[in-house]
Amino acid sequence: MEYHCRYFDFAVPQTILDRHNIPIATKCLTAAYVLSTLTLFGLRLYACYSDNNNVTTTTPPISFHEVKNPIFQLIPNKVLKFPCSIVLSNLVDTNICKFVLNLINLLVGGSFIERNWNSSNEMIKFILGIGSITNLVVLLITVAAHYIVPNLVNLDLILDGNYTILIGFPIIYKQLLPETTIIDIKSPSFLEKKFRFKLLPILVMTFMTITQLFIFRHFSNVLSIWITFFSCWIYLRFYQVLPASAIGTTSDYYNSVQGDASDTFQLIYFFPDIIKPLLKPIFNKTYTLVSEKLNIITPFKETDIDKGNDIAEQRGAKKVADNVKDRRRQLALDVLQERLV
């Protein structure tokens, strides 16, 4: 789909907008999302117009927005009684704008991603699995914060447990369509800029963080947003296993693909250039800690990085020249040191 005018050009690849080939996992997740959200809406509406004796009234005793349902909604002080909310909260929304945006993103973007991954299991694992792990981490941090500063953290507030689609999908778009331009601003001249898919994650994160901090003032949701971001990236970077068909080859060298070791998918390249010098040493030390000291993740080998770069280049990503030079320089130093020994 394309739109052209005097001030900007807008284009979305036709492969994303293919609505005639919706994979099975996307269909099931979309149906579950719509059904769960409508069910939650109906239960809240019923509770709003029913009194304690289950007699329907014409005047609601409480406001609709005050009604909570601990089965579908993530409420810290109710989660031990209703642990199913950790999973089910991934499939509901109470905000109509977020519901419509997630629905379109899931139906259109989910179809594109599942076709590229060529794995229905991965789509379900990403949305429900990573989403549930994120919800559990947010819950634990929220409860811990409550016991540290009980006056600032209320365990009765609802946590939004459905950010995986809204935050995780832009990360995948950056991975699959890194250099594809979405909007090309042409006028005025001082605003000339090409917004590519690789910029989408940080734009989404910035917008959502600002709105939660200054409009909704829901600090727990800010925590959930950023934990979701890091959880999705960590899974895609180190743990996701895709079949060889997902990268368009049947070579024995690419029998399967685990993670994305490419230079362009490093965490540092999700952030603006102006703060990269500040973040780079922090990210490097953290990577060394979790990979070499704690052995939580397996460090990438040179062959893994080269393989990842090959796949990224097939997707249109540009080479990161500085990283290639650094690796070659380090390899030469290692070889020289071995000869001296």
Side-chain angles (χ1 to χ4, degrees), residues 226-298:
W226 281 97
I227 290 178
T228 301
F229 171 79
F230 287 114
S231 298
C232 292
W233 176 80
I234 289 170
Y235 176 71
L236 294 169
R237 176 72 168 171
F238 298 105
Y239 297 108
Q240 185 186 46
V241 178
L242 294 176
S245 56
I247 57 171
T249 180
T250 57
S251 170
D252 292 338
Y253 181 64
Y254 296 114
N255 187 34
S256 64
V257 183
Q258 178 170 349
D260 185 341
S262 63
D263 290 322
T264 54
F265 203 61
Q266 293 181 77
L267 185 59
I268 192 68
Y269 291 108
F270 283 83
F271 296 88
D273 292 338
I274 192 171
I275 62 173
K276 283 179 182 177
L278 176 65
L279 296 177
K280 190 170 184 178
I282 299 174
F283 290 164
N284 288 341
K285 289 181 180 179
T286 302
Y287 178 72
T288 301
L289 176 65
V290 299
S291 63
E292 298 180 7
K293 302 294 178 61
L294 301 178
N295 294 319
I296 297 176
I297 59 175
T298 303

Side-chain angles (χ1 to χ4, degrees), residues 141-204:
I141 294 176
T142 302
V143 172
H146 171 74
Y147 286 105
I148 296 173
V149 282
N151 295 329
L152 296 179
V153 181
N154 185 356
L155 296 184
D156 196 43
L157 287 179
I158 300 172
L159 301 178
D160 193 339
N162 185 14
Y163 280 120
T164 309
I165 299 171
L166 208 57
I167 294 173
F169 279 18
I171 298 175
I172 302 171
Y173 297 149
K174 170 183 167 61
Q175 184 184 36
L176 299 178
L177 302 164
E179 297 297 329
T180 303
T181 299
I182 311 171
I183 301 176
D184 183 5
I185 299 177
K186 300 182 292 184
S187 179
S189 58
F190 65 89
L191 285 179
E192 286 184 3
K193 178 71 175 179
K194 288 186 176 181
F195 287 95
R196 297 180 173 89
F197 274 105
K198 66 181 181 181
L199 297 175
L200 192 58
I202 191 61
L203 291 176
V204 171

Side-chain angles (χ1 to χ4, degrees), residues 58-215:
T58 57
T59 303
I62 59 174
S63 170
F64 176 79
H65 298 288
E66 296 176 355
V67 179
K68 303 174 184 178
N69 187 294
I71 297 176
F72 287 95
Q73 293 176 290
L74 204 59
I75 306 173
N77 62 1
K78 301 287 186 181
V79 75
L80 288 179
K81 187 176 180 180
F82 302 98
C84 57
S85 62
I86 295 175
V87 178
L88 293 180
S89 59
N90 289 288
L91 296 171
V92 297
D93 271 310
T94 56
N95 184 292
I96 184 64
C97 294
K98 186 167 178 280
F99 170 73
V100 173
L101 188 59
N102 262 344
L103 181 61
I104 296 173
N105 201 12
L106 178 58
L107 195 59
V108 179
S111 297
F112 169 75
I113 293 169
E114 188 175 347
R115 288 196 299 268
N116 275 269
W117 284 354
N118 197 23
S119 174
S120 298
N121 290 336
E122 276 300 317
M123 176 59 68
I124 296 174
K125 188 189 301 183
F126 183 79
I127 293 178
L128 296 184
I130 300 303
S132 299
I133 291 173
T134 299
N135 289 342
L136 182 59
V137 172
V138 173
L139 277 171
L140 293 175
I141 294 176
T142 302
V143 172
H146 171 74
Y147 286 105
I148 296 173
V149 282
N151 295 329
L152 296 179
V153 181
N154 185 356
L155 296 184
D156 196 43
L157 287 179
I158 300 172
L159 301 178
D160 193 339
N162 185 14
Y163 280 120
T164 309
I165 299 171
L166 208 57
I167 294 173
F169 279 18
I171 298 175
I172 302 171
Y173 297 149
K174 170 183 167 61
Q175 184 184 36
L176 299 178
L177 302 164
E179 297 297 329
T180 303
T181 299
I182 311 171
I183 301 176
D184 183 5
I185 299 177
K186 300 182 292 184
S187 179
S189 58
F190 65 89
L191 285 179
E192 286 184 3
K193 178 71 175 179
K194 288 186 176 181
F195 287 95
R196 297 180 173 89
F197 274 105
K198 66 181 181 181
L199 297 175
L200 192 58
I202 191 61
L203 291 176
V204 171
M205 294 299 298
T206 301
F207 174 78
M208 295 183 65
T209 301
I210 291 174
T211 53
Q212 289 293 339
L213 282 176
F214 299 105
I215 297 178

